[in-house]
Amino acid sequence: MSPQPPTPVAGRITRRSLLKAPTATAGALATAVAFAEPETPAEAAASFVKGVDISGAPQIEARGYSWNSAGVQNPPAAWRNMNYGQMRTAMGTYVNQTMTVMRNNDVLPTWVQIGNEINGGICRPAGSISSPAQLTGLLNAAYDQVKAVSPNSTVCIHLARPQKYDVMTTLFSRFAADSGKWDMSVFSSYGSADLTAGIAGNMKRISDAYGKPFPRSEFGGRVDRASSTQASLVAYIKALKTNGGQGISYREPECMSPFTGYTMGAWDSTSERPTSIMNGSTQA
């Protein structure tokens, strides 16, 4: 059955990052999926999570907001003039309120991601990578409030470009040195199939270095090259399972023209039906 056409979106949607909506003030994104933390690659493969990120769809359709590039890590407008201490308090309050709303509606998440692709920090400049103590303070404030409301939730730190090992270790080494708190390291990248071994290997190196499990939180490929994107999805699932990864999530497969300029979904805009891309999830 073909979907009903969604409400047109104002402006272009480019790549991944935070939805520009009033509720996305601090970028604390919650992902609810059932999982058990395996201890070996074999156990990881047996309980591997395959998911999709469609978090933007309802808000995009209902409100018409657009998306910004991953490098934009500005604080919310209401926080812009806060000093670091005030911002840390605001971060904790925001996360506590968000988690409390979910708890009150019986939808506590298993995984909670604090920020989106925060290689350079969060709420910059206060939480810039060049101010590691303040970066750690903001992220720890969020961590503490997640645990205060939902002690069993797994708190994730999310970085982009795992193909660049040194880029990832810059943040993790400084964060860990300042007593940063996190339970899982998650990564996003959009590399082709021939890069799978290196990318999955880097994720495992980070996992081993800090003793944290890891999934791949974002995957995507060109929708107009469905066969190659499907093959890449299969390759990444296999590589992640081999290296003990927890799972993979396809970013916004429901996206299609003319409602978005994003070209890495998995939906054909002419037929308004899924392409063959997502078949890759059943082939590995």
Side-chain angles (χ1 to χ4, degrees), residues 7 21 24 42 45 70 80 109 119 125 133 136 151 154-155 157 168 220 230 236 239 259:
T7 304
R80 190 168 297 147
N119 299 57
T136 300
T154 296
V155 180
I157 295 297
M168 294 189 296
Q230 178 184 343
Y236 276 107
F259 309 107

Side-chain angles (χ1 to χ4, degrees), residues 80-99:
R80 190 168 297 147
N81 296 321
M82 290 182 179
N83 60 36
Y84 164 67
Q86 293 169 327
M87 191 173 293
R88 184 177 58 189
T89 298
M91 175 73 82
T93 299
Y94 169 75
V95 173
N96 183 284
Q97 290 174 344
T98 301
M99 294 296 297

Side-chain angles (χ1 to χ4, degrees), residues 135-145 175 178-182:
L135 168 64
T136 300
L138 290 172
L139 293 176
N140 280 359
Y143 180 97
D144 290 343
Q145 293 308 313
F175 185 49
D178 280 308
S179 301
K181 304 175 187 177
W182 83 106

Side-chain angles (χ1 to χ4, degrees), residues 147-170:
K147 296 295 187 179
V149 178
S150 180
N152 294 325
S153 289
T154 296
V155 180
C156 307
I157 295 297
H158 174 203
L159 299 189
R161 302 188 297 279
Q163 61 269 34
K164 297 182 181 295
Y165 183 77
D166 291 344
V167 171
M168 294 189 296
T169 56
T170 297

Side-chain angles (χ1 to χ4, degrees), residues 84-143:
Y84 164 67
Q86 293 169 327
M87 191 173 293
R88 184 177 58 189
T89 298
M91 175 73 82
T93 299
Y94 169 75
V95 173
N96 183 284
Q97 290 174 344
T98 301
M99 294 296 297
T100 298
V101 168
M102 288 190 285
R103 182 183 63 188
N104 291 345
N105 287 276
D106 297 322
V107 289
L108 279 179
T110 298
W111 297 349
V112 179
Q113 177 181 301
I114 305 300
N116 183 73
E117 298 182 344
I118 60 170
N119 299 57
I122 191 170
C123 292
R124 298 188 310 211
S128 172
I129 188 67
S130 61
S131 300
Q134 294 188 174
L135 168 64
T136 300
L138 290 172
L139 293 176
N140 280 359
Y143 180 97

Side-chain angles (χ1 to χ4, degrees), residues 187-220:
F187 306 96
S188 57
S189 69
Y190 293 75
S192 57
D194 60 333
L195 299 177
T196 55
I199 289 176
N202 282 347
M203 293 178 186
K204 187 177 188 303
R205 288 176 67 190
I206 292 290
S207 176
D208 292 345
Y210 299 100
K212 311 293 183 184
F214 70 98
R216 180 171 177 150
S217 63
E218 291 184 21
F219 172 84

Side-chain angles (χ1 to χ4, degrees), residues 220-244:
R222 286 181 55 170
V223 69
D224 61 342
R225 297 181 180 176
S227 294
S228 62
T229 299
Q230 178 184 343
S232 293
L233 178 57
V234 172
Y236 276 107
I237 291 174
K238 290 181 177 179
L240 286 165
K241 286 183 176 181
T242 298
N243 285 279

